Structures are given as C-alpha cells and as structure tokens.
Amino acid sequence: MKIKSILIANRGEIAIRIIHTAKKMGIKTWAVMTAAEPNALYLSEADEVIDFTENTSEVPPFLDVERLVEAAVKHKIDAIHPGYGFLAESAYFAQSCENKAVIFIGPSSDAIYKMGNKTIARKIAIKNKISLLKGSTRHVTDAEIAMKEAEKIGYPVIIKAASGGGGKGMRIVRKPSDMEKNFRLATSEAEKAFNDSTVFIEKYAENPRHIEFQILGDKHGNVIHLGERECSIQRKHQKLLEEAPSPALDEKLREKMGNEAIAIAKAVNYSSTGTVEFLLDDAGNYYFMEMNTRIQVEHPVTEMITGIDLVEQQIRIAQNEKLSLRQEDIKLEGWAMEFRINAEDVQAGFAPNTGIIKRMVIPGGKNVRVDTGFVEGAVIPPDYDSMIAKLIVYGEHRKKVITTGLRALGKIDIQGLKTTVPFFKAVLHNKAFVDGDFNTSFIETEMQSLFHQEKDEEMLAAFLSLMDYLKEVADDSVLSADKSSPWLFNKRMKSI
Amino acid sequence: MGIFNFSKKDKAKYIVLGNRKYTFEVGDEGMVKVNRINHDIAVEEMTHNRFELLYKNRKHRSEIIEKKQNKYTVEINGNRYAFSIETPISYERKKMLEKKSGASGLVVTTAPMPGKILEVMVAEGQQVKEGDTLIILEAMKMQNEILATGKGVVKEVVIKNGDSVMKDDRLIVIEKK
C-alpha cells in the first residue's frame, strides 16, 4: 500500500527534513502546531497543520501518544513519522499506531522494546556471539552483588541503568570502596529519570572511540549497513561533531564491525533505519554498546558519502517495499562532517542561551548543506534543545572537508545568541583532530582552549569599543574640547 | 599591549582594560567618523552597532553588545570580551583607589539564568584560576558549569547546595590577584 500522507510527530529541522523528502515523493505532509512555537518554520513547509496549541492534557504535545494517533485517524493520514527524540523509540507509540492501522515509519514495536532495554539487548548480543564488554551475568539488586560482579569483571567498571541512555544513571567505579556510594547514586538517578532503578555492571573501557553503523532493513528480512560514523567529539555524552567515514577504520575492520551490526539487527527482525553503536579501543578491539532504533540527528553525513536518501528509504520500507539496494551496491565515496550549531556559550562552559535570533546567515553552497528549523526573528524556545542548525560539509577527502568546514564556519553570522561556532573552529585547528588521532576524551584532554580566537581579535574589539566611546564623547559638547586634559577632568569632578 | 598611532601631533592616550591592558594613542583627525580610520585598521559600520573590521588582510565581524559609560561588551568572531576605557589619569586613579580600599579587584559571579545550585565546588579561602569550575547550576534541563574568569582567592560563597537562584543573583565573590 503506497503511503500518500504522513503526519510528522516532530518539529524543527528534522520535521523540515522529512517534509522535503515526502514532497519529493509526492506525499502530503501534516505538521503539528504547538503553543511553544506557533510560528515555527516547519509549519509553513508542511501541506497541512494540525492545531495542538490547546492544553488538553498534562502530557507535552509531542509525547502525547493518544492525541497524535487520534489526529492521524481523524484526518485519515496513512502514516506517522516520529523523527528522532520524543516518541521515536517508544514501543508503546509504535504499537498504538499499529492498533489503529496507522503505518509507523520505523521498526516494529517488538524491535524497539528489545533494543530499548539494555539487559535484553545484551542477552541477544551474547546469544548471537556479538562482541561485548564483559558484564554482569545476573540481576544486580544491591551493592553487595554489584561488588561481586565487579570483581569477576575486573575494575574499572561502570554501573548503567538498564532502561537508560544519554549518560543518566551511569557511574564509573574504579575500586571496591567506591561501589556502595556509586551504586546508590546510580540506582536513584535511574529511578528518577526512567522510572526503573534496574542497573547492570559492565567493564569500563577508558577513552574509547564512539563508532556507530547505519543499518537499513526491510520488512522482508533483508538488512544492509551503510558504513560507519565517527562520533567521538562529545561533551558529557552529547555529540557535537560527527563524521563519516571514521579515520580509525580500514576496510577489514569496517567489514567485521558492519557484519556484526547486521547480525544484531537481524536478530530482532529489524526494519527501517537504525544505528548500532560500538566502542573501539586503540588496540582495535570493538564492543557492542547499544542500538538506536530510529533515524539519528547525524544521518546526513552518511547520506553525503553514500548518496542515499535515508528518509526516502524509511518511507519505502514502511510501505512494504523490498530493499532496492544490496550490500555490494553500497559505496562510500569522499568524506563528510557535521557540526551542530547550538545556542550555547562556549566561553561560559557551553551554557545554553535562549533569545531571539536577531540575524542568521549560514551560507550553503557546493558541498555545504545546512539543515535548520529556524529563521531570523525566531525565538529559541526553552522547552526544547538548543540546536539552531546542522552544518554538513562534504569533500573528496578529510583534509578538504576541514578546509571547506573552516571556510563555511567563517561565513556564519548569527546575532543575538552565542553559538558553538568558535568551538568548531578550535577543533578544526587542533592537530590531534586533523591527524584523526582522537577518542571520546578529546574535548577534555586535547583542547587547550575550547574556543578559537583569531589573531588580535581582542585588540580589535578593544579598539572598536574605544572608537565608539570617543564618538559618544565627541557628540557630548561638554567634553568636545580637550578629551584628556587633567584640568577639565578636575573641573568636572568639582561640578559633581 | 599595542600602541596605535594615528597622527604624530595631538596624540591622546587611552587605556582599554580587557583580559589584557591595551594602550591606544589617538590623533584628532578621523576620530569622529567611523569609516576608514587608519590604514592599519579599517572599520566599517554595517548597521547600528554592527561593524566589520579589516586588519592585516583579515575581516572580522563585530558587534557592540552592551555599553554603559566607559564599560563595553563587544562580540567579535562569535566571542565576547568586556572592556573598561580609561584615560591615563583615570587609570592611575583607579589603581590608587583599589590600593586604598585594600582590594585589587573583587569579582562578583552572578547567575547567568534562573536555576538550582547543584554543587558548589569551591570554599572560602580557596585559590582559583581562570577556567576553574566554581558552581554547577542546573538550568534548562542541563547541568551548567560556572567558571572562574581569572586568578584569585574565593572571598565569599553566597549560596549553598540546593538553593534556587534567579538571574543575576550573587553567587561567589572572588578577590582577583
């Protein structure tokens, strides 16, 4: 059954991204308007808008399963695309769509559930002989069991929330005497964040690289991979810069890891786009971490080097088509990098800033793609994340991408907010980064300064302020005579 | 430090204090207009408070974010700097006053946005340097580190773990060294 209409249960740049491909395929798009941003750009890109501005429940609009599915049924919309975040990895949402005969553009609720639970995912990986970090083999219900398991595994270990992600409910333990306190902290954080205090213990790999593989599967059992992405430039487990391919992989390693990624996807009958995450240490050992059962923020870098539209593939798979691509059809050509332009003040430790985008110029061009959800005059709402735009750069090889990237970053002109642009300039000037020699500890250990300063820029800023000051002073007739005469200064003091 | 000459006659000196001390020497002509000041630095006003500076063949985009009397906040190439503009006399006076009051400069760190104090990382009497984490403030669903802007000694810790703060609330007072 061909999908003729899609409800996009998301906002910002990904909503626009989905709309673009849907338009290309002649599919009607429906977007959801919320009270937080009634004038958002994505609304004007969609064919139809559904009004969710009324507060009908405690649940935020993009997390309201019932409301979204009902809207699709009411307007006779064929399918729902969840984007990333929000309900993209909610097995309940996928199931609810299925129950109401609305096509969910993503994997089955069963695959989402299994890969969403770390303990289950681990069990499946063990069963399929996927390379894994040593972990606890039984339920860890108290600190004593945690300590026994840690002894078997060998310190350092990490306590992880079974239902978790994004760095929450995670605690590194380097020696037995630290176990009790960290066990307590991890379980209480897990309970608060995911309503599930279940944890497991895993060997802690020190400063690995974060390598993830893009998976594509259809509903007929075919699964392929589209190569890897290097995502080690992270701050507190938040990705900032991603690239494809990874400077750390050769063809042999790519094949080995790619095959294991396919194996784990097949083990849960995976369909649609998904990402299998690995940790890679400097001895070339890799370990399965988790699988993200959705399309990811950084998918464009894979699209740039494979020439494949991943959203289009998602839609085709959702309408039951067989994969038109086989593994041997996938060729990785060139190199791509993505820079997340966030409204964050790097000089103040990446503190988020909200406000109005007074001016926004992010020029695209040959080999430069800009995915954004905002225009000048828009407000960055505090309800959502701080991403303004994604700057994606392509080139024949990595060094060229870096040069093009610096040029593109130099042309960005955003006023009214501070952004991560100076941070990326610093990364692209960094020798370890340019050499491709880095891991997840990069930001902490390899960067002398988190933001790039052009030569003499502070002097120039000082000069500008002086010039403006003198102009103000010259406009003031009282001081127009002699600006620095001590006599005049004393005279003024006396009159005050 | 840079000494900047406009014309050899009628020179007036200004000291601009930022992260470093800059000394500029200014001539009478060209100081009222903003365009084409000197062959070394060319300044063009793009729109109100936005400028393009050309120096040594490189363009820099800059904006005056805030100005209060002689205190300026300027953004250039995406980074912000704070300055205070002094004449040699006012600068000497400032130094003299600081010596008199016994403080070489007190820096009050305030809350950049409303939030909750998750953890205070320093104690009174502790030495800090630029970039040290003073406080972890939870705001906008994230943990934000408030950093020390220079070297000094923590004089006063106004808040404690668990406190709720509003924007601009006083958090920590550091005596700059």
Side-chain angles (χ1 to χ4, degrees):
Chain A
M1 181 221 134
K2 265 210 152 30
I3 292 174
K4 290 189 224 70
S5 52
I6 298 177
L7 185 158
I8 294 131
N10 215 302
R11 57 165 292 277
E13 67 90 14
I14 192 65
I16 295 176
R17 167 79 192 83
I18 296 163
I19 290 170
H20 279 175
T21 290
K23 259 199 192 120
K24 202 175 74 176
M25 296 172 75
I27 298 172
K28 187 172 183 188
T29 52
W30 296 72
V32 171
M33 180 193 289
T34 66
E37 9 165 53
N39 300 308
L41 181 63
Y42 72 93
L43 295 166
S44 55
E45 300 273 319
D47 296 315
E48 302 275 353
V49 175
I50 302 173
D51 190 341
F52 273 30
T53 54
E54 228 188 283
N55 217 3
T56 59
S57 88
E58 297 260 314
V59 186
F62 289 119
L63 293 176
D64 197 335
V65 174
E66 277 72 38
R67 202 175 180 187
L68 289 162
V69 180
E70 253 166 48
V73 171
K74 172 168 165 207
H75 296 279
K76 298 194 177 20
I77 304 170
D78 295 335
I80 291 183
H81 196 309
Y84 53 67
F86 294 126
L87 293 168
E89 286 176 286
S90 160
Y92 176 57
F93 187 45
Q95 187 64 59
S96 302
C97 289
E98 218 179 291
N99 293 344
K100 297 282 186 183
V102 176
I103 299 174
F104 178 77
I105 302 179
S108 65
S109 59
D110 183 64
I112 295 176
Y113 167 68
K114 287 188 174 141
M115 288 292 118
N117 184 305
K118 301 274 171 54
T119 317
I120 298 179
R122 264 190 77 86
K123 285 209 177 98
I124 294 175
I126 293 170
K127 203 168 135 197
N128 287 271
K129 307 223 188 327
I130 307 289
S131 188
L132 275 172
L133 281 170
K134 265 182 136 178
S136 45
T137 50
R138 53 176 164 150
H139 286 301
V140 182
T141 46
D142 58 54
E144 230 194 280
I145 297 179
M147 244 186 297
K148 291 209 180 98
E149 290 294 306
E151 288 243 4
K152 280 199 272 173
I153 295 167
Y155 288 91
V157 298
I158 182 166
I159 308 172
K160 279 184 170 178
S163 299
K168 284 218 166 115
M170 281 168 62
R171 280 286 188 292
I172 301 166
V173 186
R174 295 185 192 277
K175 51 192 197 287
S177 52
D178 293 337
M179 180 56 85
E180 211 191 313
K181 171 175 110 173
N182 282 299
F183 183 81
R184 227 184 324 119
L185 288 170
T187 45
S188 75
E189 210 171 270
E191 178 67 49
K192 249 191 275 177
F194 315 111
N195 251 338
D196 178 9
S197 63
T198 316
V199 297
F200 64 95
I201 315 280
E202 204 174 62
K203 176 96 188 141
Y204 180 63
E206 205 88 54
N207 301 327
R209 296 181 91 123
H210 173 128
I211 308 285
E212 58 187 39
F213 271 76
Q214 180 66 59
I215 287 289
L216 208 53
D218 64 20
K219 295 186 188 177
H220 306 270
N222 302 305
V223 179
I224 60 172
H225 76 79
L226 271 58
E228 79 278 5
R229 288 185 289 262
E230 163 79 70
C231 304
S232 301
I233 310 294
Q234 300 178 2
R235 189 184 159 262
K236 304 209 165 160
H237 302 280
Q238 305 281 324
K239 296 172 186 167
L240 282 163
L241 193 167
E242 307 96 350
E243 62 181 297
S246 165
L249 265 64
D250 57 20
E251 270 311 318
K252 221 170 98 187
L253 190 52
R254 180 170 297 125
E255 201 184 326
K256 277 207 287 176
M257 292 175 80
N259 285 338
E260 285 201 26
I262 290 173
I264 200 143
K266 278 194 165 155
V268 292
N269 292 321
Y270 199 81
S271 65
S272 194
T273 50
T275 298
V276 179
E277 283 184 14
F278 294 96
L279 293 186
L280 178 72
D281 68 21
D282 30 5
N285 302 308
Y286 57 89
Y287 309 100
F288 167 70
M289 268 293 105
E290 62 183 28
M291 181 169 188
N292 298 318
T293 57
R294 62 174 193 269
I295 192 164
Q296 297 210 221
V297 175
E298 60 269 25
H299 74 274
V301 292
T302 298
E303 292 188 322
M304 301 295 260
I305 65 167
T306 56
I308 293 166
D309 181 332
L310 286 171
V311 175
E312 180 186 338
Q313 291 299 316
Q314 280 185 300
I315 295 173
R316 290 194 183 286
I317 289 163
Q319 57 190 29
N320 238 331
E321 284 180 33
K322 267 208 187 132
L323 273 185
S324 59
L325 305 150
R326 300 159 306 161
Q327 193 62 60
E328 45 272 35
D329 298 326
I330 306 301
K331 298 268 180 285
L332 308 182
E333 273 172 27
W335 212 283
M337 280 186 192
E338 173 184 276
F339 308 94
R340 298 195 192 191
I341 314 295
N342 296 334
E344 286 167 0
D345 187 345
V346 187
Q347 283 173 295
F350 289 86
N353 47 150
T354 44
I356 301 177
I357 305 175
K358 288 203 286 199
R359 182 178 160 82
M360 182 172 106
V361 176
I362 308 178
K366 182 167 188 263
N367 292 333
V368 179
R369 166 178 158 181
V370 180
D371 285 13
T372 180
F374 294 98
V375 282
E376 258 173 48
V379 182
I380 304 275
D383 310 59
Y384 306 120
D385 60 49
S386 61
M387 185 159 71
I388 300 175
K390 293 170 357 193
L391 178 72
I392 302 127
V393 179
Y394 175 78
E396 277 113 64
H397 50 83
R398 196 166 185 267
K399 281 225 157 69
K400 248 196 166 172
V401 176
I402 291 175
T403 314
T404 308
L406 274 170
R407 205 178 323 128
L409 288 163
K411 293 202 187 126
I412 293 179
D413 186 11
I414 298 176
Q415 245 196 302
L417 297 156
K418 293 200 70 188
T419 72
T420 45
V421 169
F423 164 76
F424 292 122
K425 286 182 187 168
V427 175
L428 295 182
H429 277 107
N430 183 287
K431 183 171 191 303
F433 181 79
V434 172
D435 290 344
D437 185 14
F438 57 91
N439 55 49
T440 47
S441 71
F442 176 79
I443 293 180
E444 258 169 89
T445 62
E446 297 285 345
M447 296 188 78
Q448 274 204 328
S449 170
L450 288 175
F451 57 100
H452 180 75
Q453 293 168 287
E454 298 291 342
K455 196 164 185 300
D456 298 314
E457 74 175 25
E458 198 194 357
M459 182 275 281
L460 292 169
F463 176 70
L464 181 67
S465 59
L466 172 63
M467 294 250 319
D468 185 84
Y469 176 76
L470 292 176
K471 180 165 155 280
E472 301 269 308
V473 161
D475 290 347
D476 180 352
S477 53
V478 176
L479 289 175
S480 60
D482 185 335
K483 299 172 196 65
S484 62
S485 156
W487 179 82
L488 185 63
F489 182 81
N490 287 332
K491 188 174 187 222
R492 288 200 78 221
M493 285 304 293
K494 282 196 191 117
S495 64
I496 292 167
Chain B
M1 268 197 268
I3 295 184
F4 203 89
N5 292 318
F6 286 86
S7 84
K8 301 296 180 187
K9 50 181 171 154
D10 288 326
K11 281 188 283 197
K13 238 195 208 168
Y14 287 93
I15 295 168
V16 182
L17 300 170
N19 287 321
R20 305 158 80 185
K21 179 171 154 227
Y22 297 95
T23 305
F24 295 97
E25 286 188 47
V26 164
D28 246 350
E29 58 259 6
M31 275 297 101
V32 180
K33 294 198 189 20
V34 179
N35 292 340
R36 300 272 153 214
I37 296 311
N38 183 278
H39 66 271
D40 276 352
I41 302 179
V43 182
E44 220 177 291
E45 187 161 17
M46 311 301 287
T47 62
H48 181 60
N49 281 336
R50 296 199 73 225
F51 303 85
E52 214 168 68
L53 288 88
L54 183 63
Y55 180 63
K56 290 187 177 168
N57 269 319
R58 220 199 202 114
K59 255 195 222 162
H60 302 258
R61 238 180 266 115
S62 188
E63 186 191 348
I64 296 173
I65 304 290
E66 205 184 325
K67 57 186 176 188
K68 233 184 208 154
Q69 293 168 333
N70 71 328
K71 301 260 189 291
Y72 274 73
T73 301
V74 177
E75 187 171 304
I76 186 166
N77 300 324
N79 298 317
R80 285 195 188 173
Y81 301 96
F83 302 105
S84 101
I85 298 173
E86 313 285 342
T87 60
I89 291 163
S90 70
Y91 177 62
E92 292 304 316
R93 184 170 168 271
K94 192 174 165 133
K95 280 207 298 195
M96 192 177 58
L97 282 175
E98 278 169 5
K99 265 207 197 105
K100 259 191 168 181
S101 67
S104 59
L106 286 180
V107 177
V108 182
T109 307
T110 56
M113 63 191 113
K116 187 169 101 171
I117 306 293
L118 264 192
E119 205 173 336
V120 180
M121 309 287 286
V122 296
E124 284 171 20
Q126 186 173 335
Q127 292 252 36
V128 294
K129 61 182 191 300
E130 187 179 336
D132 280 353
T133 306
L134 301 172
I135 294 173
I136 300 190
L137 173 74
E138 190 177 75
M140 276 184 79
K141 301 187 179 167
M142 284 178 51
Q143 293 185 1
N144 305 291
E145 288 170 3
I146 314 249
L147 312 176
T149 53
K151 213 164 75 164
V153 175
V154 178
K155 203 157 186 288
E156 193 188 339
V157 177
V158 184
I159 36 69
K160 62 182 188 300
N161 290 2
D163 281 353
S164 276
V165 295
M166 303 297 291
K167 184 172 187 293
D168 296 332
D169 274 357
R170 286 161 64 97
L171 304 175
I172 302 239
V173 182
I174 293 179
E175 186 168 333
K176 256 192 154 159
K177 286 283 156 81

